[in-house]
């Protein structure tokens, strides 16, 4: 029924999280029929996203590429406490913690969690990059903000062991975020309390 190019756009949109077929179709029809260049602007913006946005060189948060370097807004912010580092699983988690305004330091995004069942071992985590970051910034305190799931707890234990050897103070965000829950969907107050109420891991 629908033109092939339109079907293709629907198929692409439908691959995004939380976008079902009906929503994808609604978006695609809107883009195809409205006349204020949204489709063109969106196309250009997506191209720029692909070519100009990169993981931050220091923390793996997302950053604009400037003069061949990607440094995110948090890493560029000089008001941040340089010796306090918060370790998270994904960029979404970093954004959720930022919304709570409870974090004065900077971040390190792991990108993945330890997951023996899925065959993700310690060698697949960026432990060397993390250790280098801790040394270079003379980090004195690390907050482990991996999610309260089986994999998140296993990762926190591994990191506590690895970083403990570097002589930094280590704490784990307090419970309050439901077990198995996603930091991304925890409300700001809960996340703020989880960070303020962090407990020492040695
Ligand atoms: Zn950064």
């Amino acid at each position: 029924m629908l033109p092939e190019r339109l079907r293709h756009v629907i198929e692409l949109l439908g691959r995004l999280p939380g976008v079902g077929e009906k929503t994808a179709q609604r978006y695609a029809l809107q883009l195809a029929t409205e006349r204020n260049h949204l489709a063109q602007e969106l196309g250009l913006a997506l191209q720029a996203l692909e070519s100009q946005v990169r993981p931050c060189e220091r923390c793996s948060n997302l950053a604009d590429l400037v003069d061949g370097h990607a440094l995110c807004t948090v890493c560029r912010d000089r008001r941040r406490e340089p010796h306090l580092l918060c370790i998270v699983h994904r960029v979404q988690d970093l954004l959720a913690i930022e919304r709570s305004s409870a974090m004065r330091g900077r971040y390190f995004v792991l990108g993945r969690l330890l997951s023996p069942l899925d065959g993700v071992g310690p060698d697949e985590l960026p432990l060397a990059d993390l250790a280098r970051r801790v040394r270079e910034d003379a980090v004195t305190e690390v907050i482990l903000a991996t999610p309260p799931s089986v994999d998140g707890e296993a990762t926190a234990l591994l990191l506590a062991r690895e970083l403990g050897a570097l002589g930094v103070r280590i704490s784990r965000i307090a419970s309050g975020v439901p077990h198995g829950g996603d930091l991304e969907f925890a409300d700001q107050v809960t996340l703020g309390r989880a960070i303020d109420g962090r407990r020492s891991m040695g």
Side-chain angles (χ1 to χ4, degrees):
M1 294 288 227
L2 294 167
E4 193 187 326
R5 288 188 178 86
L6 189 60
R7 284 208 310 272
H8 185 49
V9 171
I10 294 169
E11 195 267 318
L12 291 174
L13 289 170
R15 291 190 208 169
L16 295 171
V19 179
E21 197 186 332
K22 264 190 188 165
T23 305
Q25 183 171 319
R26 191 152 54 91
Y27 287 170
L29 287 173
Q30 175 74 19
L31 289 165
T33 54
E34 65 98 77
R35 288 282 164 260
N36 52 18
H37 308 294
L38 178 60
Q40 193 182 16
E41 266 185 63
L42 193 59
L44 290 172
L46 291 175
Q47 271 178 20
L49 193 65
E50 169 87 34
S51 61
Q52 302 294 324
V53 176
R54 290 276 181 282
C56 172
E57 290 162 17
R58 292 169 57 74
C59 75
S60 293
N61 182 17
L62 289 173
D64 282 313
L65 200 58
V66 179
D67 299 329
H69 286 287
L71 210 54
C72 78
T73 52
V74 178
C75 286
R76 277 191 275 125
D77 183 356
R78 290 167 188 272
R79 291 164 303 178
R80 298 285 173 149
E81 160 63 49
H83 309 303
L84 175 62
L85 193 66
C86 181
I87 302 182
V88 295
H89 174 202
R90 304 166 310 162
V91 171
Q92 291 95 308
D93 302 328
L94 181 159
L95 296 176
I97 293 171
E98 278 296 285
R99 277 198 299 274
S100 78
S101 307
M103 179 63 191
R104 297 170 292 109
R106 294 201 175 95
Y107 297 88
F108 188 88
V109 181
L110 291 170
R112 59 199 313 186
L113 297 174
L114 200 61
S115 182
L117 286 178
D118 297 323
V120 183
D123 290 347
E124 266 110 334
L125 298 185
L127 298 177
D129 290 342
L130 178 58
R132 190 170 58 238
R133 175 81 191 275
V134 166
R135 279 195 302 268
E136 281 178 4
D137 285 6
V139 169
T140 54
E141 181 178 3
V142 167
I143 300 173
L144 302 174
T146 51
S149 60
V150 172
D151 291 350
E153 297 295 353
T155 307
L157 283 175
L158 171 75
L159 293 175
R161 205 172 55 222
E162 293 280 322
L163 296 171
L166 298 176
V168 292
R169 197 157 74 238
I170 298 162
S171 56
R172 176 89 175 103
I173 53 167
S175 52
V177 181
H179 186 83
D182 231 327
L183 259 54
E184 189 187 347
F185 300 116
D187 68 82
Q188 296 171 26
V189 175
T190 304
L191 256 182
R193 282 194 192 131
I195 290 169
D196 289 340
R198 60 187 180 268
R199 59 197 153 77
S200 174
M201 281 185 86

